[in-house]
Every structure is written in structure tokens, then in C-alpha cells.
Amino acid sequence: MEKILIVGGGYAGFYAAWGLEKKLRRGEADVTLVDPHGYMTYQPFLPEVAAGSIEARHVMVSLRRHLHRTTVIAGHTTSIDHSHRTATVRTNDGALREIEYDTIVVTAGAVTRTFPVPGIEQEAIGLKHVEEAVAIRDQLLTAFDRAALLPPGAERCRLLTVTVVGGGFTGVEVFGELLSLATSMLRAYPELSRDDLGFHLVDANDRILPEVTDEPGRWVVRHLEKRGAHVHLGTQVVSATDGRIMLSTGESYGNGLLIWAAGNGSNPVVARNTDLPVDERGLVRVRADLRAGTSEAPVPHAWAAGDNAAVPDLASAVPGTRTVPNAQHAVRQGKLLAANLVADLHGKQPRQYLHHSLGTVATLGIGHGIFQYRRLVVTGFPAWLMHRGYHVLAVPTWERKVRVLLVWVSAVLFGRDIIPLSTVQRPRAAFLAGGDPFAGSDGDHPAAPPAQHGRPELSVVRDAG
């Protein structure tokens, strides 16, 4: 029986495994999927999770619930030795395990790209994982509670200042969503005013949203600034220590929440720990049919797709163009992977990946959005509706579609829930304190006051192909 190993349970990995279960005959192949979590995260919804428009669990699709004939192993793939057909996995209990395979599918995804900026490791939160989105929401909601107790001044403004680094879709969407959330919350906090809020979007390029053309990108900047935001283009964060942001322009300001969305970095298992062919960016080299290697030197029994693969974009007129790392491509590549693996197993010719973009759409907060398809540009409320319509259709499984729709309907009727759940990060604190608000985590010492800045201590490494 053919042993197929899938590395990573993100879009491409999940859809590849799901497709294989539908296309393979029973007993034809043994499929194993390795991922540190038991779910696939629908990442386009993370900005709305951060803003409280969608419940966190509703953007996650259980692997075990939907992959009935796939062996799911909870762990990180640390190395791939394709010449010996083995992969080393560190399971979530810390044990190392070698897995033998006949065919490997690498869909490990990408990681958040970071730079050696002082304070980033201590202060910043990324936005590739649902845990990060929840932490962002809780930190902002908690900041409102704390700021409401303070008199007007620098410390109140610092607590309510948000900086997002990165002007791609993730950065712009979470920025717009949090701006919408913060503005709406002022109704529940009469002690605070719009002047207390500070929202800064920072990008090293001279424009944001590179996926759209110049004029729509400029419209987004004007739209955000009209809502009170500060957009810093051609600018870098040079320091983020002690709750203070310093920009390359010399500007400096107090900051309460720092979100790092400055693009993708290569996954370590692909970039440094495999003998598969890798390009200069640390991505697996693949052909248009998603087989690893090149037309002149294909690698037998190795396939890759998603954010960790350099997939040729046959829809582009520019030679050498690669598909952009987004959900639109990863989902379709995962489905094609399943079809090509079965075709190869049956001795048939695999198909090449060709997908013409359906356009780009982004939410900028409730009631605000932008959509572009070629020369057609839609902005405002209609674009926001198009964003919600597209993504509720794209999120996998009818169960998740219905859950997301029900939350949206309840938000229209009753508004967003603004209750923070930051204490879940210390679930035993109340039990150990025994009702004493001044008891610390050990029950004997006074509790330390809430941190004045910095991100929650989270461990959220995730394969997200």
C-alpha cells in the first residue's frame, strides 16, 4: 500500500487530504498528516476574530472531524530526508519520531517574517494564528478598561494606541477592523473620547495593498486617514522598547498594542532542514503540476504547494512569475494536489496548475471595504458585503458557514461582544487566589499589577500551508 505523508494541515494540506479521501479507493493508500494542531485555520477571518466579529472557534476546521481515513499526528515536522524517504517529527508530547513514506506532500506553510528590531520579541503579536487574534482582541479590550480609570493624558493615550506594521492584506484588514472596533467601543466608555485613540499603520513601501493597483491603494490610505488613522509609508519601525515606538522618520510615540504583519518568512523545515530543491527564498521548487523539482530535473514522489512552494503562475504573461501566497491559490492547489497524486498513482498524467484571479477584496471594518477585479473597483459598503459573501462561501464545510453567518446576524441585532477573556491565559489564578484579589499566582504574595505594555506570553507555532 502506498504511504503518503502530508506535512502541514493548513489550506493546501487539508484540502489535499480531504480530496484524497474522496478520490482514493479503500486500501489503495495510507495517508498520514502531520500538524501541531488538530485544526485548519481559515486565516482571512483572523482580522474579524481580532475585532470580535467572528468567534475564534468558528474559523477553525477540525482535522479529525473531517478526515476520517487519514492518520493525524499532532506534532512539528523538523526535517525531511527524501533520499531515504523519512521525515522526523517532534510530537506535541516532546518525543522525536521518524515516519517512513513513499510519497511526500509538503504544505507546511510560511511563518511571520520578522526583523532584528529592538523590542519586537517582547512587544509584538503576529497574526497567522487564531491564538494571536484572540490575544489582540483581549489586549485592546483590557486597555479600554484600564484607560477608563485614568485621567486624560499621555498614559491614557498610550494604552489606546495601536500600531500595525505591514501594509499587505493582513495588516490593512486587521488595522481597519480594530479601528472600527475601537471607535464603536467609545459609546460604552463615556470617560473616553476619540482624541484618546491612536492608530498607526506603518509600511516600508511607498504604497499599501500591493495586490491592487495604485489608485485603489491610495483610496484606502485616504479612507483610513479620514477615519482618524495615521498611515506612515516609506517608513520603518526602528525600536519598540518599553511601550514606545520609534520610526525611521524620527517620530516617536507611546504605544499600547503592536501587531506585526510584515509578510511571510520561509518555514524552517523547508528552508534549512530538507534535501528537496529549495530556491533563494527558502521555498520548495515545484513544476506547474506541483511536483517538486524542475522540468529538467523532477524529484520523484515529492510534491509541494501553498505558501512554502514556488509555484509557477501560468496565468501571468510575465515569464518566471510565481503565484502569490494567499488562500485563493492554496485552496485550489490543495485540491489539484489530491487529483494529481491519484493520477500519478494510477499512471496517468498530472494536470498543471492554472488559476485566473477572481479579484481581490478586503475588509476595512464593519461597513467598509474595497474590491478590485481588473479595472473594476468597488469601495465602501458594497465591497464589504462582497468580502463577507465571498469568504462565507470559501470557508470549508457547511457547518462552519452556518456558524459564521449566525454570529454575523447576531452582531447586526445586538452588536459585537466587548467582554475580554484575557484571564484564560492564567486559568488557575482565581483558584489559587481563593477570592483574594491581592493574592498572586502562588496564593501568598501580592499579585503583580497588569503589565503596562508587552504582548501576552503565547506559544503559537503553526504549520499553515
Side-chain angles (χ1 to χ4, degrees), residues 10 30 36 116 173 187 206 211 215 232 246 293 317-318 326 353 377 384 390 394 406 430 454:
D30 179 20
E173 287 193 325
R187 294 192 294 270
D206 293 328
E211 296 86 350
E215 181 50 37
H232 308 269
M246 181 170 291
V318 181
N326 63 23
Y353 179 72
V377 178
W384 176 74
Y390 171 78
L406 289 176

Side-chain angles (χ1 to χ4, degrees), residues 406-451:
L406 289 176
V407 171
W408 280 340
V409 171
S410 66
V412 170
L413 296 175
F414 308 112
R416 283 182 289 208
D417 200 323
I418 58 172
I419 300 174
L421 295 175
S422 53
T423 53
V424 300
Q425 297 170 42
R426 297 182 296 111
R428 300 180 66 246
F431 170 74
L432 294 174
D436 182 357
F438 300 104
S441 60
D442 57 5
D444 297 323
H445 304 288

